[in-house]
Amino acid sequence: MKMNEIKMIVCDIDGVLTDGRVYMDESGKETKNYSLTDIDSLNMMKTEGYILCAITGEGTPLCNFFKSRLAWDDFITECKKKGDCLSNLAEKYSVDFNDVCYIGDGVYDIPALEKAGLAVCPANAIEAVKNVCDIILDAYGGGGALSELYNILSKSKIEHKLSANVLNQLDILIDRYPSLESVRKEILNSYFLMEKCYMNGGKIIIAGNGGSASDSEHIVGELMKSFRLKRPIGENLRKRLKCIDENVGDELSQKLEMPLRAVSLMGHGSLSSAFLNDVDGKLVVAQQLLGFANKSDIFWGISTSGNSENIVYAAVLAKALDMRVIAMTGKGRLSELSDVSIVVPEEETYMIQELHLPIYHCICLMLEERFYGKGRQL
């Protein structure tokens, strides 16, 4: 089934939202463990438009607690015939079974799992449940199972928006650098922000500190001219050039290449040295950003430590200007200021930088394919 078409998410409580174990405090009161990340993920599912329901065989005070914590569309308690309950929910909300995701862990969940288009269970589910499920999660019930499910569904929805040719660039990257699977979603989200920026007539403004300053220049070089694909200028511009000067216009129309507009803030030696000498070196990048930026632009900051003051100051300014901010880093303050932060899974500076290059090459290839290749959407 297509995960991007899921409309309803139905979950069991005990063993899914909780860890399925019973604990007893000193007063003899029974308690169970659950994960706050699972609660957050359920809230995100609801916010993103999924019909959110629970079916539990219990009717305990703990069930009432979970019922009150979230804006469930339906919360059914004391139900052992979960297959029948799922049928009633599907009919009530006019949802086809193929568009239902059910997550459960125990024997009473099996009839519902068999009906659902997407059957999911946590790692601690019984073997009979695992045998009927499409996805067996790595996380346990009460320990991030619903959070993992949310990430899987989000990834599916994101990647569904991409043409095969654009997505292929990301697949190639992950094949060559498997450790970057951990930041796949962030790379995709960065791409989508930049795609929207270009569609709205904006540009990418890039700055990096130290060795990353060279990366910012490198990125501009890939975006502002042909990278792998030909980018011929449009016919209207060709005609205008030739009308102004037949010979020069012909040469320009043959050799110019369409850009993806990008600016690096790591040049402009006279401005940078003057501001450093006259005002404050930490603010050189921010001063340039103030001069170049429009609200529709994106600021792309690169810092291996994530704490480079010149980049952090510029990111603060970008947020004040209502710009989107993308960070490429290893950790640090810059991530906190960003709409999307690509935090690569390394600690050493040179190892972080070694992963930055294939990432930004991939993003540039995806953008070029989107606007000038077979993935182009007119």
Side-chain angles (χ1 to χ4, degrees):
M1 69 93 49
K2 296 180 179 179
M3 283 189 284
N4 59 282
E5 295 179 356
I6 291 295
K7 297 176 182 177
M8 175 185 284
I9 297 170
V10 184
C11 72
D12 180 27
I13 298 298
D14 199 30
V16 174
L17 189 51
T18 74
D19 64 2
R21 298 181 179 182
V22 177
Y23 303 86
M24 191 170 293
D25 63 18
E26 293 180 356
S27 65
K29 183 180 178 180
E30 292 184 354
T31 61
K32 295 184 181 182
N33 284 341
Y34 69 96
S35 169
L36 290 175
T37 61
D38 284 342
I39 297 294
D40 290 340
S41 295
L42 286 168
N43 277 319
M44 289 300 299
M45 291 175 190
K46 180 64 177 174
T47 299
E48 293 181 13
Y50 291 105
I51 300 168
L52 188 62
C53 304
I55 303 175
T56 176
E58 300 181 352
T60 64
L62 185 63
C63 290
N64 293 328
F65 167 77
F66 286 124
K67 184 177 182 179
S68 66
R69 285 295 303 270
L70 292 157
W72 303 92
D73 292 284
D74 253 299
F75 196 104
I76 301 171
T77 60
E78 301 184 65
C79 175
K80 301 296 185 182
K81 296 182 178 180
K82 295 188 177 183
D84 292 342
C85 287
L86 186 63
S87 295
N88 292 336
L89 287 172
E91 182 178 358
K92 178 178 180 179
Y93 293 99
S94 301
V95 176
D96 190 278
F97 282 128
N98 287 329
D99 300 332
V100 175
C101 171
Y102 187 93
I103 175 169
D105 72 307
V107 66
Y108 291 116
D109 296 303
I110 292 176
L113 289 164
E114 290 177 333
K115 287 186 176 183
L118 182 64
V120 182
C121 69
N124 57 313
I126 63 173
E127 201 63 31
V129 165
K130 292 180 179 179
N131 290 337
V132 301
C133 281
D134 302 299
I135 298 175
I136 301 171
L137 301 171
D138 293 326
Y140 280 59
L146 289 162
S147 179
E148 184 181 343
L149 174 60
Y150 171 66
N151 289 335
I152 291 171
L153 294 173
S154 296
K155 176 182 173 182
S156 174
K157 290 180 74 172
I158 289 171
E159 296 191 0
H160 177 67
K161 300 176 185 177
L162 294 172
S163 75
N165 291 308
V166 173
L167 184 58
N168 184 54
Q169 302 298 336
L170 182 58
D171 291 336
I172 291 171
L173 173 71
I174 304 301
D175 284 344
R176 295 181 64 207
Y177 301 90
S179 66
L180 294 180
E181 177 65 40
S182 64
V183 292
R184 184 186 185 100
K185 181 178 179 180
E186 287 75 16
I187 294 171
L188 280 168
N189 286 336
S190 297
Y191 162 81
F192 281 121
L193 283 182
M194 293 186 205
E195 178 194 48
K196 184 176 181 180
C197 171
Y198 283 130
M199 291 177 67
N200 291 336
K203 62 183 177 293
I204 312 298
I205 302 176
I206 312 164
N209 185 67
S212 300
S214 298
D215 288 321
S216 70
E217 296 281 359
H218 190 165
I219 294 169
V220 169
E222 310 297 19
L223 292 174
M224 286 287 287
K225 58 173 290 296
S226 295
F227 187 2
R228 292 186 67 223
L229 304 177
K230 295 295 184 182
R231 304 187 198 171
I233 65 173
E235 188 60 33
N236 288 340
L237 181 55
R238 287 174 181 268
K239 291 178 180 179
R240 289 175 61 83
L241 287 167
K242 291 181 181 181
C243 285
I244 295 170
D245 187 300
E246 182 70 28
N247 294 326
V248 173
D250 184 64
E251 186 173 6
L252 286 169
S253 65
Q254 295 297 323
K255 295 180 179 178
L256 285 178
E257 300 174 330
M258 289 299 293
L260 290 163
R261 296 170 61 226
V263 175
S264 170
L265 301 182
M266 307 321 297
H268 318 107
S270 295
L271 170 61
S272 297
S273 59
F275 197 84
L276 186 153
N277 185 70
D278 299 342
V279 187
D280 189 333
K282 297 192 299 293
L283 308 185
V284 168
V285 177
Q287 178 63 34
Q288 293 182 80
L289 182 64
L290 185 60
F292 284 111
N294 292 308
K295 186 176 179 179
S296 59
D297 298 337
I298 284 175
F299 176 64
W300 186 350
I302 312 172
S303 168
T304 55
S305 70
N307 294 313
S308 304
E309 287 188 314
N310 53 352
I311 308 303
V312 169
Y313 277 53
V316 170
L317 173 65
K319 298 300 288 185
L321 296 174
D322 291 328
M323 296 174 66
R324 294 288 194 174
V325 177
I326 293 171
M328 195 159 63
T329 180
K331 50 197 169 185
R333 170 74 172 135
L334 186 60
S335 294
E336 301 169 10
L337 295 165
S338 304
D339 294 283
V340 180
S341 182
I342 304 173
V343 181
V344 298
E346 290 291 353
E347 296 293 330
E348 291 283 349
T349 295
Y350 76 93
M351 292 182 180
I352 293 170
Q353 291 173 335
E354 286 173 354
L355 290 180
H356 280 177
L357 187 146
I359 288 172
Y360 65 68
H361 267 170
C362 176
I363 293 173
C364 291
L365 287 165
M366 292 170 74
L367 289 166
E368 184 176 63
E369 179 63 46
R370 162 65 177 83
F371 289 100
Y372 298 106
K374 294 179 181 179
R376 185 179 183 184
Q377 300 164 15
L378 299 177

